[in-house]
Amino acid sequence: MEQRVDKIAVQIVQQAAELAQRRWRGLVWLTGEAGACRHAALALWQAGGWQLPVWVAPEPPQGLTKADCLPPGRARTRLGGEHDLLIVDAVSPGVGFDPDAFGALAGTLRAGGLLVLMTPPDWGERPDADYARLAEHPFRPEQLTARYLVRLAGLLGAASEVIRWPVGDEPLLPLLPAKARSPVPPFADADCLTADQAEAVARLVRQRRRRPLVITADRGRGKSAALGIACARLLAAGEAEILVTAPRPAAVESLFQRLVALCPAGQRQGLAFVLGERRVRFVAPDELTRLAREDAVAGAGARLLVDEAAAIPAALLGEWLTAFPRIAFATTVHGYEGSGRGFAVRFLERLAREAPQWQGLHLGEPIRWAADDPLEGLVNRLLLLDAEPALAPSPVSPVWQRVLPAELVEDEVRLRALFGLLVQAHYRTTPADLRRLLDGPGVGIGALVADKAPVGVVLTGDEGGFDLELAERVARGERRPRGHLMAQSLAAHAGCREALTARLRRVVRIAVVSPHRRSGLGRTLIEAEVARARHEGIDLLGASFGAEPGLIAFWRSLGFVTLRLGLTRETATGEHALMVARPLTQHGAALIAELTARFQRALPGLLAFELRELEPEIAAALLAEGESLTLDAGDRRDVEDVAFAKREPALARPALHALVRDALARGVPAGNGPLCLLVAWGFQGRNNEWLAARLGVSGRREVTARLRHATAMLLG
């Protein structure tokens, strides 16, 4: 038996050699019992003379060391690296298939490499061990469906490019074209591997002020490496500092690797590269936004490179666009995290308005494999990395439908269109989200459909319903059941036990196809979800999102009110997380009244301290939800003395607070300039230096004059 396994392993290694001649990669689907699969995979490991193999599992098998093994949770640490053999263990006891790890690592495999996936022979008949991450309280993993795994097994079984090896039987090797691909000639630019990459580097190096550059590419096109090559050349030309940012440091690892290789006289120092007096420095999005708002990093010669821009909210990208004279955005069009298509829809419209001379460049030629590599298309199909929304008719008269996951797994075209819409509309979507869509407990899907094409979709998750004892323990921090993000957050941060015992439904995602946004379809989706939730006895319909004036206005127009605002900005988004809800029952209305009263009671103090740096427009929008105040005779006299006499504004602060609330109650928009100025000064205690910079004036006297003018404007 052992000799037979070794012989088959040699056969497959020979197949890999033929793939290498075509600059292709291959997937080996190894099925059988756990011990037999590991034995066969080890035979492949030993037969190939691999230079960069890795075994993806929590622990290495007997015969390998810890250094040979990569836990799935650390897959992102290999982004930008290369492998020629990936063995993914989804068969051993306690181990399951991690969609995010599989998606991230597949892009690191170079031409001639093999991706070996080990699964049980009956894969898909039950949830695997990785479903423990999906099983929210009170569900156990074995209670969930396994539609996602059924779909994967079906696609692998039908794919002619897959090397199928049932352990104990002969492998099924795909037929390869008779003629090998011609070798790729060396490229003229010694640092670059394709003409596309060289063009990207050239444009980055010669970029002019206020000419933003947008680089898009599929995975494996050398986008991040191009940023690193450009940084090396800019440092060599004397550039003092280049800032780079991305959702996480691992995304720019290949950038720093190219810097180290091309600038041997320099030194890597954590998240920076130093060459003499010059440097390239990584700054996280939240910190970059803070520094930019304080004018601590921007300036006449400042340069910023943004990698994986699709995974960063458009509002932050817009701020950086204004702050940095030279800025480049690079993003993956179809990637394991984020969507360049959504980036295009959300951000490029603003770019065209504010920087009409922006330039775009798409990198199409792969670096690590040939353009017709079969593995790239297979992984895209398996994980729906290239999912796109269906073309929608115009004008559109959609019909609302409830969508069942069991229907989607039987209709690949419909699944692809619906998931493509979710990907396009959200800045961070991962392969694991597809598994949640098909198998997540409590998941609800509603869609607006026109001519069989989904033009809008809402995805919800059910939360709460805890018994009193568990709710008390959670609120006291003694238990943290899996899931129930909103209910547990309200309990932990607002001390509200009732948020755990009530039935809450959270809007996880809402998306409308780009040509039909701002046409009322989002409102239709939410109102349909309100009706369904009310019919099913749900107490609250809620949502959580990054605080941004447009989104706050959307949810407020639908009857949602703010329950909680995160005190710190999310590292990857630079925004504060906001939770809103709408009551659907009498019990829900009582709960909302309690939570909103608590939040509004705490808000002035938070704005003065923890939320002092919150955008005044957002602060005003939150204050607008509070108690309405009208100016009494004393307040009006104080306010008029500030506006039309020489009363010191600080001595009339309570009256100016009342003026702000009165103006909001009268319908003055939260984004009104004079109102935001009074909010920043009166509620948030912004100092004269900050106010002067925002107003474009100098000195305390001019700031005070503007405050008086703002007060007069709000008095009407």
Side-chain angles (χ1 to χ4, degrees), residues 151 384 408 411-419 434 437:
R151 176 183 171 274
L384 289 187
L408 290 175
D411 189 342
E412 187 71 13
V413 173
R414 189 181 182 197
L415 175 63
R416 174 175 287 272
L418 193 143
F419 191 67
L434 178 59
L437 181 73

Side-chain angles (χ1 to χ4, degrees), residues 478-494:
E478 298 171 358
R479 285 282 306 276
R480 187 68 187 268
R482 183 175 293 277
H484 303 264
L485 177 149
M486 191 168 181
Q488 293 203 67
S489 179
L490 292 173
H493 299 285

Side-chain angles (χ1 to χ4, degrees), residues 483-520:
H484 303 264
L485 177 149
M486 191 168 181
Q488 293 203 67
S489 179
L490 292 173
H493 299 285
C496 183
R497 277 72 168 165
E498 291 78 9
L500 293 167
T501 57
R503 295 184 63 195
L504 189 153
R505 179 165 291 168
R506 180 167 62 95
V507 176
V508 179
R509 298 280 172 86
I510 179 172
V512 172
V513 70
S514 57
H516 300 292
R517 288 179 185 162
R518 293 181 172 84
S519 63

Side-chain angles (χ1 to χ4, degrees), residues 263-278:
C263 299
Q267 186 178 18
R268 175 84 180 266
Q269 296 180 357
L271 296 177
F273 180 84
V274 179
L275 180 66
E277 302 277 327
R278 292 152 282 163

Side-chain angles (χ1 to χ4, degrees), residues 259-517:
L259 269 173
V260 170
L262 296 174
C263 299
Q267 186 178 18
R268 175 84 180 266
Q269 296 180 357
L271 296 177
F273 180 84
V274 179
L275 180 66
E277 302 277 327
R278 292 152 282 163
R279 65 176 180 171
V280 175
R281 179 163 64 106
F282 175 86
V283 185
D286 60 335
E287 177 67 6
L288 179 66
T289 301
R290 185 186 68 79
L291 294 173
R293 288 171 180 170
E294 296 174 356
D295 292 326
V297 290
R303 186 189 300 268
L304 173 66
L305 304 181
V306 184
D307 204 358
E308 297 305 344
I312 297 173
L316 292 193
L317 301 179
E319 283 195 46
W320 302 339
L321 175 66
T322 303
F324 289 88
R326 290 184 175 86
I327 186 168
F329 304 95
T331 197
T332 306
V333 178
H334 298 122
Y336 77 98
E337 181 175 70
S339 165
R341 302 292 295 175
F343 164 78
V345 170
R346 291 189 307 273
F347 181 63
L348 294 190
E349 290 179 5
R350 176 171 180 172
L351 191 61
R353 288 195 311 269
E354 299 185 12
Q357 293 180 301
W358 72 275
Q359 297 180 336
L361 177 66
H362 181 71
L363 310 187
E365 189 175 352
I367 296 287
R368 296 191 182 110
W369 54 81
D372 58 350
D373 166 62
L375 183 65
E376 182 173 36
L378 176 61
V379 172
N380 284 343
R381 293 198 306 277
L382 292 173
L383 304 183
L384 289 187
L385 294 180
D386 59 349
E388 298 276 0
L391 293 175
S394 186
V396 64
S397 298
V399 176
W400 186 86
Q401 295 179 355
R402 184 175 182 180
V403 180
L404 299 177
E407 299 170 352
L408 290 175
V409 80
E410 298 293 334
D411 189 342
E412 187 71 13
V413 173
R414 189 181 182 197
L415 175 63
R416 174 175 287 272
L418 193 143
F419 191 67
L421 182 52
L422 289 170
V423 167
Q424 185 190 76
H426 201 264
Y427 60 84
R428 191 186 303 136
T429 302
T430 71
D433 289 324
L434 178 59
R435 182 174 65 179
R436 179 171 296 278
L437 181 73
L438 295 176
D439 294 319
V443 168
I445 309 167
L448 290 172
V449 180
D451 288 352
K452 299 183 179 180
V455 295
V457 61
V458 60
L459 188 66
T460 63
D462 287 349
E463 300 186 8
F466 290 14
D467 61 51
L468 290 173
E469 180 185 359
L470 179 59
E472 180 66 24
R473 295 184 66 187
V474 170
R476 289 163 53 182
E478 298 171 358
R479 285 282 306 276
R480 187 68 187 268
R482 183 175 293 277
H484 303 264
L485 177 149
M486 191 168 181
Q488 293 203 67
S489 179
L490 292 173
H493 299 285
C496 183
R497 277 72 168 165
E498 291 78 9
L500 293 167
T501 57
R503 295 184 63 195
L504 189 153
R505 179 165 291 168
R506 180 167 62 95
V507 176
V508 179
R509 298 280 172 86
I510 179 172
V512 172
V513 70
S514 57
H516 300 292
R517 288 179 185 162

Side-chain angles (χ1 to χ4, degrees), residues 293-295 687-699 703:
R293 288 171 180 170
E294 296 174 356
D295 292 326
N687 60 32
N688 285 321
E689 290 78 9
W690 187 92
L691 293 170
R694 179 181 173 96
L695 295 168
V697 300
S698 60
V703 169

